[in-house]
Each structure stands twice: as C-alpha cells, then as structure tokens.
Amino acid sequence: MTEHEITSPVALTDSRGALNPAALGWTRIPLHDTSGIPGGRAWGRNKRWEYWCVMTPTHILALTVSCIDYLSLHSVWVLDRTTGEELDSTVLSPGGRSATLPGSLGDGPVRARTRTVNIDIEDSAEETTLRGTTPRVSFDVAAARPAGHESLGVVVPWRKGDGVPRFQYTVKDVARPARGSITIDGTSIDIPEGSWAVLDHGRGRWPYRVWWNWAAGSGVVGDRTIGLQLGSKWTDGSGMTENAVVVDGRVTKIGEEFVWDYDADDWMAPWHIHGTGADLTFTPFHNKHSRTNALLVSTRTDQLFGVWTGWVAGDDGIRVDVDGIEGFAEDVLNRW
C-alpha cells in the first residue's frame, strides 16, 4: 500500500486535543509536534516513553524512561553476552513526578530520577548521549547521528466508527553507531566500533489492551550500513505500517504487512518474517523474558536477541541483503 509521506512540520493533535488528520503519515526526520500529549484529555490513556537499546560484541544495554499518566516505569537492563548474566533494575512509581519527558523529540532532556535508577538522555545535532546509574551499573554512551541520517516516524490510528480516539506517534531510529562505556560492579567495559544503538520514541493515546511485534537490526553488510525496522499486530488494519529498511542512513518505507511466523512455545526457535517484499530469518541467542503485574498494569514481554539473514525490499522494489546484522524481535502483550 502507498502511505502518505509528511515533509513539513505538523501538530499531532488539534486545539481540542484530538488527533489532527494532517498528522497521519510517515516521516524521514522528526516533524511532529507532540506537545498535545498528555494535555489533560483521555487521562489514563496517554503514553509517553523513550527506549534505547545498545548492542555491543560483549554486552547489551537497554534503558527506558516512561510515563503512562498514573504510573511511571524506568529501567536499566544489561546482558553479559559471554556469561549470560542479566542485571535488571526496574522502578515503578505513581504518577509522573519521577519522569522528565519533553513535549516533542529533541525539545529537551529526558530524565528519570528515583532512589535506585537515574537516567539522563540529551540530544545534539551530532549525537544522543545516554547516561545513567543503578546500584551495580553505570553507563556513558554516545549514539552518533551521522550527517544525513534518517529515522522512521509513523502515526498509527486506531479507528472507531468515524473517529480516531486512540493513536500513536512512534519514531524508530536504527543503525546509530555507538561508543562509550558500561561499568558493572566497578569494572569498566569499552563499547567498541561495530556497536549499534536503536531508539523507540513514543507519544500517543492507547487502548487498554495491546499486543505487538517489534523487530530491529543494525550492522554492516559488504560496504553498506544496514538498519532494519519491522512491526506487526498493533498496526494491522490501520492503513499504516512501521516497516522500513535504512541503507547508509537513507530510509526506504515498506507499506506491506508481512507475515510473522514464530513459535510461542519455543521462543528460541528461528523466526520467519516474510511476504512479497521480504524473506527474513531471525535466529535468537537470548530471550529477555519479563512480566509485570501492578494492579491496573500487566505486561508480558519476550524480547529475543539474535542474528538476521535474508533480504527485504523497500517500496522502491530494490532488494537489500541483511545477512549477519544483529538485533532483536519481540512479542509483547500489555494491559495498561
């Protein structure tokens, strides 16, 4: 399907706080003003977050700063790829006082402030710095933004009758070269060349129950830097996908809804994502399995880290090989 590309700034919401119809579409650079979220409308349905994942040859770092009106969730998770040890610090706090989240992407710092988890995210034209501390972990990472680098922005509507009471604006930014260090129990580990950062930025109003797939990959194939961005379930039937391939920083949108084949009884078995424009295999090496149950909020996440092989074609029809790039694929069910 053909999706509308937005090329000039636009507000996500109108003066009444409803979805602005002109905001529907996708972008190569962030152009949406999302300061209307939360805005006091539909309290309890507003969701705001910043998620970063950094994959290095020896470790994986993931961090989240988020607020869902009545609750904030902040987390730092590290995997030692050699030993399999996981370090997870997650804090739930009522309301939004522990979270600083700018109205729009890049409009100011992102911060989480709790007794055990502290995170600072700051943007500049050249890079995004990620810093934080937990009782056993600290990190200081720079995710570079090469000149001309593009990211996929998408507004996904959940229609009800003639209206769109629920909608999400997401920016998925893949294949950001990473450098810096992670410190575990006082031992510093350098983040070498060949490490990659991925951003998931979200602002929107969500249904209470949502099931989604998300997958991403970053790496070098031949002499080209490849970024892979795929999604499913939550976008099905909306008229939009969050599918794209990024080659040397240039986004090519993919309008096709792909088929995702995987075994929920054996998450570590290979995943197959395919369609007219893709034949991709994802082979996991680790499952980050987590569950949260806090009264109104329950989540179940199986996020698999692994290696991609195969090919994908953008809407321009050009096939892109992804053999050997690393990333993740996940199955998430939220009641929130």
Side-chain angles (χ1 to χ4, degrees), residues 132-153:
T133 60
T134 74
R136 295 183 59 188
V137 173
S138 64
F139 55 91
D140 187 344
V141 179
R145 184 182 291 106
H149 178 84
E150 298 177 347
S151 57
L152 177 68

Side-chain angles (χ1 to χ4, degrees), residues 154-166:
V154 177
V155 174
V156 176
W158 288 290
R159 294 180 173 84
K160 186 175 182 180
D162 295 330
V164 187
R166 303 288 180 256

Side-chain angles (χ1 to χ4, degrees), residues 174-175 198 215-219 226-229 308 325-328:
V174 296
V198 171
S218 305
I226 305 298
L228 183 66
Q229 161 57 38
W308 292 94
I325 70 172
E326 292 192 333
F328 52 82

